Amino acid sequence: KKMHLDGIVTLVDAKHLIMHLDEEKPEGVENEAVEQVAFADRIVLNKCDLVDEAHLDEVEKRIRMINESVKIQRTTQSKVDMDFILGIEAFNLDKILEMDDAFLEDEQDHQHDDRVSSCGFHVKGEVHQQRLNEWLAWLLKERGVDLFRTKGVLAVQGMKEKFVFQAVHMAFNGAPQKEWEPGEERISKLTFIGKNLNRQELEDGFKKCLVGGGYAAN
């Protein structure tokens, strides 16, 4: 029998989440609450009966400072609609173009939280496949620990389809998907969520993969 990862669902304690997000950890130790919120495709905000509306609004605000696009459902005693947590297809490459238009369209940097940020960029033109492979291998090896989620739609030289990929830390999944429309401008779109992101380094490295560029992995 085959199994696949449908999505990442995080159960959040509405009363205590902010305390856990603000918890100071020793140097080199990650804040698990921050990472679990950052990774989530769905958040079940539980124990809503124990706090007032103002507190719930503040909790949701803090969640979105870390993971701006995540879907949230408020619950009591973890009673949640099954449709909210099943059939997410967050790791289905076919769905990235449909589900994440806003995610991929956003080229701006966002400082969501002192520890987590996101950035994205668009680059016109086609990329050289070998240079792209080398850059991605370098990126995941050298920066993968700090990259929580990465998604992209790429224009690869000689490929009729859009190359769609996503990664969680060093785990990468990508494949050609929908064909480019006749006359459609070849533009690659990438977005990253993680720690210690250097937008300029990411964009410069990717641009060296462009046809006519000269990227060499270090």
Side-chain angles (χ1 to χ4, degrees):
K1 295 182 179 180
K2 294 184 178 180
M3 301 179 66
H4 70 274
L5 181 61
D6 184 42
I8 299 173
V9 178
T10 299
L11 180 67
V12 167
D13 182 332
K15 186 174 182 178
H16 299 108
L17 177 65
I18 292 177
M19 176 185 69
H20 290 304
L21 293 178
D22 292 339
E23 185 179 356
E24 293 293 333
K25 296 285 187 178
E27 185 176 355
V29 178
E30 305 298 340
N31 184 312
E32 296 89 348
V34 173
E35 291 205 349
Q36 288 174 15
V37 169
F39 279 121
D41 297 298
R42 298 285 189 275
I43 286 183
V44 178
L45 183 56
N46 196 40
K47 299 185 180 180
C48 291
D49 56 319
L50 302 183
V51 295
D52 58 24
E53 188 73 18
H55 185 88
L56 288 173
D57 289 343
E58 181 61 24
V59 170
E60 290 195 6
K61 178 182 175 182
R62 291 293 302 273
I63 289 171
R64 297 207 181 281
M65 287 174 64
I66 298 169
N67 189 337
E68 188 174 12
S69 62
V70 71
K71 294 183 179 180
I72 303 170
Q73 185 170 119
R74 296 181 180 185
T75 66
T76 298
Q77 297 181 345
S78 301
K79 294 178 180 178
V80 62
D81 296 333
M82 290 296 100
D83 289 344
F84 183 72
I85 59 174
L86 297 177
I88 299 170
E89 297 189 271
F91 293 86
N92 184 338
L93 295 176
D94 291 325
K95 295 292 183 180
I96 290 180
L97 291 171
E98 302 171 19
M99 297 171 59
D100 293 294
D101 286 342
F103 193 52
L104 290 166
E105 288 295 337
D106 192 352
E107 295 184 77
Q108 304 302 315
D109 292 357
H110 297 280
Q111 190 62 41
H112 298 300
D113 182 276
D114 290 341
R115 296 147 294 186
V116 180
S117 63
S118 71
C119 67
F121 49 82
H122 297 178
V123 178
K124 294 182 180 180
E126 296 183 322
V127 296
H128 187 280
Q129 188 165 8
Q130 181 59 36
R131 292 178 194 149
L132 174 67
N133 291 341
E134 292 173 354
W135 178 70
L136 287 172
W138 172 85
L139 181 68
L140 297 178
K141 178 182 177 182
E142 299 297 329
R143 301 287 185 264
V145 172
D146 288 341
L147 290 173
F148 294 165
R149 303 290 290 267
T150 307
K151 294 185 181 183
V153 178
L154 309 180
V156 179
Q157 184 184 37
M159 191 177 293
K160 296 185 298 182
E161 302 86 2
K162 299 176 181 181
F163 184 81
V164 181
F165 80 91
Q166 65 175 333
V168 176
H169 282 313
M170 285 78 80
F172 177 90
N173 182 28
Q177 299 295 311
K178 182 180 178 182
E179 287 193 8
W180 293 91
E181 297 291 339
E184 184 178 1
E185 186 175 16
R186 301 298 177 96
I187 299 177
S188 294
K189 303 175 183 180
L190 298 93
T191 189
F192 308 85
I193 297 176
K195 302 180 300 180
N196 308 314
L197 297 182
N198 184 328
R199 184 184 191 277
Q200 198 62 52
E201 177 189 55
L202 293 167
E203 186 171 358
D204 288 348
F206 181 76
K207 284 182 176 178
K208 290 177 182 177
C209 303
L210 290 171
V211 174
Y215 178 77
N218 294 322

